[in-house]
Amino acid sequence: NIFFDRQELDLGEIPVGVKVKESLKVINHGRGFAWGDVNKPDLPGLNLPDEFDSSNFHFDIEIDTFEVEPATYQGDIVIILKEVGYTC
């Protein structure tokens, strides 16, 4: 099984013009290596890798609010694992 150390990431209030970097720890309780595509939510300023690779052990998330209008934003990041029958 592949999952992240946190199922939810609350960034609170981020001022306009600030960059925030977060990293989720990838946990693999199964055997072998997992890879896949990242289904990115349509959120302004969100920068995610295009692909997932469990050998990295971390999944990096960056938010740059330089050109983001103040508002409340939320979304889901979905990892579509290749050759495996589930998402994380």
Side-chain angles (χ1 to χ4, degrees), residues 4 8 14 19 22 39 57 62 68 78 85 88:
F4 296 114
E8 186 173 304
I14 304 172
K19 281 187 183 181
E22 286 284 339
N39 187 356
F57 301 109
E62 181 178 290
V68 177
V78 178
C88 63

Side-chain angles (χ1 to χ4, degrees), residues 3-67:
F3 58 95
F4 296 114
D5 63 336
R6 295 177 277 174
Q7 294 300 307
E8 186 173 304
L9 182 61
D10 183 352
L11 299 172
E13 292 186 26
I14 304 172
V16 173
V18 172
K19 281 187 183 181
V20 175
K21 293 183 181 183
E22 286 284 339
S23 185
L24 299 175
K25 183 178 178 184
V26 177
I27 300 170
N28 182 355
H29 283 293
R31 294 176 11 179
F33 174 75
W35 68 97
D37 297 322
V38 178
N39 187 356
K40 302 175 185 181
D42 186 22
L43 296 173
L46 181 65
N47 184 21
L48 298 172
D50 293 324
E51 297 178 339
F52 171 79
D53 174 345
S54 68
S55 68
N56 288 335
F57 301 109
H58 288 92
F59 184 79
D60 296 323
I61 299 169
E62 181 178 290
I63 299 170
D64 184 353
T65 64
F66 182 69
E67 295 183 5

